[in-house]
Amino acid sequence: IEIYSLHVDCKVTSRFAHTVITSRIVNRANESREATFEVELPKTAFITNFSMSIDGKVYPGIIKEKVAAQKEYDTAVSRGQSAGLVKIRDRKLELFHVSVAVAAASKVTFELTYEELLKRQLGKFELLIKVRPKQLVKHFQIDVHIFEPQGILFLETDSTFMTNELNEALVKVQNETKAHILFKPTVDQQKVNSELNETLLNGDFIVHYDVQREATAGDIQIVNGYFVHYFAPSEMPVFPKNVIFVIDRSGSMAGTKIKQTRDALLKILQDLRPEDHFTFITFSNKVAEWKSSLLPATEENVASAAEFVQTLSAMGGTHINNALLAAVSVLDKAESLPERSVSMIILLTDGQPTTGERNVEVIQKNIQKAINGKYALFCLGFGFDVSYKFLEKMALSNGGIARRIYENADAALQLQGFYEEVATPILMKIEMQYPENAIEGLTKNNFKLFFEGSEIIVSGKISNELDLLPVEIKAQSHTSDLTLKEEANVKEKEQVFKNQKYIFGNFIERLWAYLTIQQLLEKAISAQEEDQKTLEARALELSLLYSFVTPLTSMVVTKPSDQQQAELANKPTEAG
């Protein structure tokens, strides 16, 4: 079985990435063989299309409601693993895998399309393309086209497998608003060495970039009556933080995990700013407070904390409820904290509650009642024994986010990376306001916190014949209350995309649908049961309308009638 052509074609238009992967395979044997198509794609992406064509006959993937598809195909879904074709691969990727029998001398073409909205983190967007053909490919090509009307500030490519020879196969062409990256290595350039027919292409091909930002109230783009508004202020004073680290040191954390936690905390302590306040609460069967109140992050206090961190060892049970309540209580009692500051609790745990209150729903209610919207709770789940669903619901109900930390060699870096993202809050209580009677289907438009290096995105549909779209942003910075105003000329904005060759026409509408589905699903996690059903029904409707494989839909992959029945491709979620 030979892959004679593999083409990755990626078009990024104003952060929205549309990727098509086409693999052409021939069976050179004189009997039937199995051809496999494997793609590792970002977890944040939604598959929108898949097809196989065998000797000219096309077998499309059909997107249906998940429940209906499951019934129809009665697929055995093993617990925690989604059916057949898509599995979580690692921290960032999931794996799509399909195989089909190909007759002697026959050819098959696989084509997979997925879309995602690139998320700005620490000052840049990342487009990740996984390259793993497992053999030398005669025609191998990656094309990335980027169009950013705001202008490209910088663009860099990075790869885990580059050599000097391969570097020669990489071409970058760039002007103010557009870039084209072409990577087209010959068979010889792909080889590990001239004697061996082994490929060097195995790993990540990454594009990082950021855009120019001028207007203070962000940037508005409009296509076919849908708008997207990007807001990412910079160079603002940073809010002092009051952080409580709540660290699990139950028996299951023993060994590598507690060591990686210590390593990460030592680095994080170095990153605290002098105006921050912090403390630690550790828990196993019992809850222990390092100090009875928050301390300013002076050199002396940080050094004393580092000594404490180095003594952390693990044994005993998991008393999550009381540990979090203790953290809330320390913040409630805190005095002499900076007037305008951001308070957050960062929980790191690797297991289920085993001591004290064990009912996760009761714990969620207790914590939500205690926090009462005053502080943000971030939950980090270490490994796969945690109830991720529980942590995610708790974080989302309290203005934070949850993240799974994968038990790899780089776990300490994952912890540090997470802290870095939330380390510099520069705005709070952000409200993005648009004319009420003129916008439909507005995505989330108020945000508790904005962190330096990230980006706020709001999208919606401009209903009536609006000539000017006025926007007003209200927010609090460390030093003042801000009101920013801007108006966008609808016709002028529409013109920007009119004559662009590689724009897929309705991309802002698809971006709006993608963002809306993501937010509906996220909202459903922490909603009451009735609301949950309504939110999921709306998300399902949009998933089907825009043909996205989301946790509520399945793609039915049809195959030639003489082969096994159709298979399902589902979207796995971190919560299983």
Side-chain angles (χ1 to χ4, degrees):
I1 289 279
E2 179 196 327
I3 303 174
Y4 62 92
S5 162
L6 183 59
H7 189 188
V8 179
D9 182 40
C10 181
K11 295 180 170 60
V12 183
T13 310
S14 183
R15 341 276 199 267
F16 196 63
H18 174 93
T19 304
V20 183
I21 297 176
T22 312
S23 174
R24 300 177 197 279
I25 295 177
V26 60
N27 178 5
R28 300 241 183 252
N30 49 14
E31 59 188 18
S32 174
R33 287 278 163 91
E34 192 168 62
T36 298
F37 176 65
E38 274 196 348
V39 172
E40 289 172 85
L41 62 145
K43 287 179 179 174
T44 43
F46 290 148
I47 291 172
T48 65
N49 205 351
F50 171 72
S51 68
M52 279 187 291
S53 62
I54 302 170
D55 291 336
K57 185 167 171 17
V58 177
Y59 300 87
I62 300 148
I63 295 177
K64 299 188 170 184
E65 180 193 357
K66 191 174 189 172
V67 182
Q70 300 262 12
K71 271 198 194 121
E72 202 174 323
Y73 292 93
D74 197 17
T75 317
V77 180
S78 58
R79 201 182 75 79
Q81 280 299 344
S82 48
L85 305 182
V86 192
K87 295 186 173 64
I88 286 187
R89 180 70 174 221
D90 61 23
R91 192 160 59 95
K92 288 186 175 176
L93 298 164
E94 56 195 36
L95 176 73
F96 176 89
H97 169 110
V98 69
S99 45
V100 63
V102 183
S106 280
K107 289 180 176 175
V108 55
T109 299
F110 295 103
E111 186 177 279
L112 179 76
T113 306
Y114 60 85
E115 292 177 342
E116 66 174 319
L117 182 57
L118 302 180
K119 197 173 166 194
R120 187 166 182 253
Q121 279 179 323
L122 304 176
K124 56 190 173 192
F125 299 100
E126 174 177 280
L127 179 72
L128 170 61
I129 296 168
K130 198 73 181 181
V131 180
R132 217 195 283 270
K134 297 178 183 169
Q135 56 172 267
L136 299 171
V137 178
K138 192 172 175 185
H139 302 287
F140 178 93
Q141 186 168 334
I142 295 178
D143 270 295
V144 178
H145 286 273
I146 298 174
F147 174 50
E148 287 289 351
Q150 282 170 272
I152 296 169
L153 180 65
F154 73 86
L155 174 88
E156 53 196 32
T157 56
D158 195 9
S159 152
T160 53
F161 53 77
M162 273 303 172
T163 59
N164 291 342
E165 281 74 36
L166 282 174
N167 233 350
E168 289 167 18
L170 181 66
V171 183
K172 271 194 290 193
V173 185
Q174 184 182 344
N175 65 18
E176 203 177 316
T177 56
K178 289 183 190 166
H180 176 211
I181 295 160
L182 172 65
F183 179 53
K184 196 176 177 182
T186 62
V187 169
D188 281 343
Q189 287 170 321
Q190 292 170 42
K191 285 182 180 179
V192 172
N193 61 37
S194 50
E195 285 83 60
L196 285 174
N197 278 348
E198 276 180 36
T199 177
L200 285 162
L201 306 183
N202 181 3
D204 301 346
F205 184 83
I206 300 169
V207 180
H208 282 137
Y209 74 93
D210 198 14
V211 300
Q212 304 272 8
R213 290 180 179 80
E214 273 150 31
T216 49
D219 188 77
I220 292 173
Q221 298 173 17
I222 302 172
V223 172
N224 297 344
Y226 282 82
F227 81 90
V228 60
H229 183 184
Y230 297 110
F231 179 54
S234 61
E235 292 174 21
M236 287 196 160
V238 177
F239 277 105
K241 299 187 296 301
N242 315 309
V243 195
I244 302 188
F245 297 96
V246 181
I247 307 295
D248 181 345
R249 51 181 175 82
S250 60
S252 52
M253 285 286 288
T256 314
K257 286 192 217 167
I258 198 81
K259 184 190 177 307
Q260 290 173 319
T261 302
R262 286 197 301 258
D263 292 348
L265 289 173
L266 289 171
K267 287 275 188 340
I268 288 168
L269 282 169
Q270 297 309 311
D271 290 340
L272 288 171
R273 296 163 182 268
E275 60 276 14
D276 292 340
H277 286 69
F278 75 104
T279 189
F280 290 95
I281 289 176
T282 61
F283 65 96
S284 52
N285 302 354
K286 293 196 173 72
V287 174
E289 296 181 14
W290 172 56
K291 297 283 189 246
S292 56
S293 61
L294 287 145
L295 299 187
T298 60
E299 239 176 275
E300 202 178 331
N301 287 337
V302 166
S304 144
E307 279 175 31
F308 164 71
V309 164
Q310 276 158 331
T311 66
L312 283 181
S313 61
M315 58 195 291
T318 311
H319 205 327
I320 293 178
N321 186 66
N322 285 16
L324 285 173
L325 290 176
V328 176
S329 162
V330 170
L331 284 169
D332 283 345
K333 289 189 309 217
E335 288 162 13
S336 73
L337 293 178
E339 191 168 313
R340 282 191 180 226
S341 58
V342 170
S343 296
M344 51 175 84
I345 298 169
I346 299 179
L347 167 72
L348 172 68
T349 178
D350 76 333
Q352 315 273 6
T354 60
T355 308
E357 182 54 69
R358 291 180 203 175
N359 181 326
V360 290
E361 283 175 14
V362 175
I363 297 176
Q364 276 157 359
K365 287 198 178 102
N366 291 346
I367 304 310
Q368 196 170 348
K369 190 176 160 193
I371 290 182
N372 196 13
K374 295 175 295 212
Y375 320 124
L377 171 64
F378 297 95
C379 296
L380 304 178
F382 207 141
F384 279 85
D385 297 331
V386 291
S387 164
Y388 190 79
K389 224 176 188 159
F390 158 60
L391 295 180
E392 187 172 41
K393 183 170 180 177
M394 208 157 48
L396 291 173
S397 308
N398 295 292
I401 54 174
R403 190 69 65 79
R404 193 190 294 282
I405 302 296
Y406 279 70
E407 287 181 55
N408 305 343
D410 72 342
L413 286 171
Q414 294 175 50
L415 287 166
Q416 257 167 272
F418 170 80
Y419 174 76
E420 230 174 293
E421 284 173 48
V422 298
T424 44
I426 55 175
L427 288 179
M428 58 200 278
K429 298 184 180 154
I430 305 110
E431 286 179 39
M432 315 278 283
Q433 298 170 341
Y434 308 87
E436 265 176 43
N437 52 354
I439 302 293
E440 289 171 28
L442 190 65
T443 59
K444 180 178 157 102
N445 67 329
N446 50 53
F447 304 85
K448 275 194 167 175
L449 293 170
F450 175 79
F451 298 101
E452 174 81 78
S454 65
E455 180 171 62
I456 283 175
I457 304 177
V458 181
S459 182
K461 187 180 182 187
I462 303 171
S463 41
N464 46 26
E465 293 299 304
L466 209 61
D467 296 327
L468 289 175
L469 173 63
V471 304
E472 184 171 287
I473 302 174
K474 290 190 162 155
Q476 293 179 7
S477 82
H478 179 38
T479 47
S480 62
D481 289 359
L482 304 174
T483 303
L484 306 168
K485 291 183 179 179
E486 185 77 43
E487 34 179 42
N489 180 316
V490 177
K491 287 203 169 50
E492 272 177 29
K493 291 283 181 189
E494 289 262 11
Q495 219 39 55
V496 175
F497 292 97
K498 279 285 190 289
N499 45 11
Q500 297 304 331
K501 286 199 305 292
Y502 52 80
I503 300 308
F504 41 110
N506 58 348
F507 91 93
I508 292 186
E509 183 177 343
R510 292 193 69 79
L511 181 160
W512 166 82
Y514 171 97
L515 193 57
T516 303
I517 293 166
Q518 294 274 34
Q519 291 177 357
L520 288 166
L521 292 171
E522 191 169 287
K523 231 171 153 175
I525 291 168
S526 57
Q528 301 298 324
E529 202 172 333
E530 276 312 297
D531 300 342
Q532 205 168 8
K533 288 199 170 83
T534 316
L535 292 164
E536 287 183 349
R538 177 77 183 120
L540 171 63
E541 189 187 338
L542 288 172
S543 303
L544 291 169
L545 187 60
Y546 290 94
S547 74
F548 284 130
V549 179
T550 69
L552 303 170
T553 51
S554 284
M555 183 187 282
V556 180
V557 174
T558 51
K559 295 190 175 182
S561 52
D562 57 346
Q563 298 193 31
Q564 78 260 52
Q565 60 168 11
E567 291 180 275
L568 293 189
N570 291 335
K571 171 99 185 144
T573 63
E574 203 60 81

